[in-house]
């Protein structure tokens, strides 16, 4: 009972999976979605014998909406509508650690929660069908099932990444490059080509505040600019472009500034042009196709 099941084998409203007899298959788990309930009055019975994974039937739109509605009302307040984290909960969409969890693990987490991390279990508020469909929706947020269509020359993209583009100054791929920015070896597997293109063109759009740029000035007047690696109410850890880590007690700082601008250059669109960005995107997507998503290391390791 810990695998994602065909929806035809999940009885709606029940607390456990049980086979649905052929004569009752019109009772679909997605009856919780208003428009799905209306469709059930008019559509052929065969439409309701559906599978969540890989389904090409019209009712798959209902599957998507059902999972999205449950996620939005139950999970998004902490994890964000896109699953990429918020003030109260981590990124569960693009974090390789979460992407690497099995369906069994995810189903168990939704049912039982993670009490030590403050996450409640939902077995008492969601039935088994709802838990199944919200996990399936999370998989779509993680990029499973998305078609990848890219243009551009990945070899030219590699040349730009390690050459004129300057990307490797901060970012690493397959152990080569810098360390200030994220390791991009599996980045293309966790983001769509459109998302990658948008970030390259406009790195200051929707920056992640948990890893933002910071400028600190000590009481002695020394200035440090870098990336926030760890922070709590009393201390701040910053990594500067030379790779060094600096731990500050906030009480000993004269000034802390958090610029809205990313350290990543914002002129790539004009500097590289459309073809250059296409080449970079193609390189990142191609690299990730042969590079499994690896768990991220803690910043203080």
């Amino acid at each position: 009972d810990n695998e994602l099941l065909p929806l035809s084998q999940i009885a709606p409203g029940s607390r456990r999976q049980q086979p649905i007899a052929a004569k009752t298959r019109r009772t679909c788990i997605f009856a919780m979605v208003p428009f799905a309930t209306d469709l059930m009055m008019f559509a052929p019975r065969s439409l309701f014998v559906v599978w969540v994974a890989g389904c090409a039937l019209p009712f798959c739109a209902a599957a998507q909406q059902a999972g999205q509605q449950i996620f939005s009302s139950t999970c998004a307040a902490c994890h964000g509508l896109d699953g990429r984290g918020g003030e109260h909960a981590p990124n569960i969409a693009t974090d390789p650690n979460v992407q690497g969890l099995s369906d069994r693990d995810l189903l168990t987490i939704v049912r039982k929660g993670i009490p030590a991390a403050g996450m409640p279990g939902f077995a008492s508020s969601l039935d088994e069908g709802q838990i199944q469909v919200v996990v399936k929706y999370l998989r779509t947020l993680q990029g499973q099932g998305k078609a990848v269509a890219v243009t551009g020359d990945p070899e030219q993209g590699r040349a730009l990444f390690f050459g004129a583009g300057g990307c490797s100054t901060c970012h690493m791929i397959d152990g080569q490059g810098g360390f200030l920015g994220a390791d991009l070896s599996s980045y293309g597997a966790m983001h769509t080509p459109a998302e990658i293109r948008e970030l390259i063109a406009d790195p200051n759009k929707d920056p992640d505040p948990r890893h933002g740029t910071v400028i600190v000035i000590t009481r002695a007047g020394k200035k440090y600019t870098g990336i926030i690696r760890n922070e709590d109410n009393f201390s701040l850890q910053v990594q500067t472009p030379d790779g060094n880590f600096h731990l500050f007690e906030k009480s000993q700082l004269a000034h802390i500034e958090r610029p809205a601008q990313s350290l990543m250059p914002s002129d790539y669109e004009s500097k590289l042009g459309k073809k250059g960005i296409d080449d970079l995107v193609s390189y990142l997507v191609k690299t990730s196709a042969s590079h499994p998503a690896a768990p991220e290391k803690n910043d203080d390791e």
Side-chain angles (χ1 to χ4, degrees), residues 67-245:
Q68 184 176 14
Q69 286 186 350
I70 297 170
F71 190 92
S72 297
S73 61
T74 306
C75 314
C78 293
H79 291 288
L81 285 170
D82 58 2
R84 298 191 180 186
E87 294 183 9
H88 306 294
N91 180 345
I92 57 174
T94 63
D95 184 342
N97 293 293
V98 182
Q99 289 186 329
L101 293 174
S102 67
D103 292 338
R104 179 191 299 268
D105 292 335
L106 290 175
L107 290 165
T108 299
I109 289 172
V110 176
R111 292 185 192 113
K112 299 182 179 180
I114 308 177
M119 176 182 169
F122 294 95
S124 62
S125 58
L126 298 177
D127 64 41
E128 187 58 31
Q130 291 172 312
I131 292 173
Q132 290 262 338
V133 78
V134 78
V135 169
K136 186 60 187 177
Y137 177 70
L138 173 59
R139 290 303 197 194
T140 68
L141 292 179
Q142 293 175 342
Q144 292 189 11
K146 292 182 180 179
V148 176
V150 294
T151 59
D153 183 338
E155 291 304 317
Q156 290 293 324
R158 187 183 190 284
L160 282 173
F161 188 92
F162 290 102
C167 310
S168 61
T169 302
C170 294
H171 296 284
M172 181 182 297
I173 286 184
D174 289 336
Q176 299 180 51
F179 39 76
L180 189 64
D183 186 326
L184 301 182
S185 301
S186 57
Y187 192 83
M190 299 180 288
H191 299 79
T192 67
E195 289 172 335
I196 300 173
R197 187 187 312 278
E198 182 178 40
L199 180 60
I200 294 173
D202 187 5
N204 296 315
K205 182 178 181 181
D206 300 323
D208 186 346
R210 296 164 298 173
H211 300 286
T213 306
V214 67
I215 299 171
V216 299
I217 300 176
T218 67
R219 293 189 181 278
K222 195 167 183 180
K223 181 178 178 181
Y224 297 83
T225 300
I227 301 294
I228 299 172
R229 293 308 189 191
N230 287 290
E231 182 178 12
D232 57 30
N233 290 335
F234 307 100
S235 64
L236 179 69
Q237 186 185 51
V238 177
Q239 186 179 20
T240 47
D242 59 6
N244 290 322
F245 287 85

Side-chain angles (χ1 to χ4, degrees), residues 264-279:
M264 179 174 169
S266 59
D267 62 349
Y268 277 127
E269 193 165 28
S270 59
K271 179 179 178 181
L272 302 179
K274 181 181 184 302
K275 184 183 184 306
I277 292 180
D278 285 346
D279 292 343

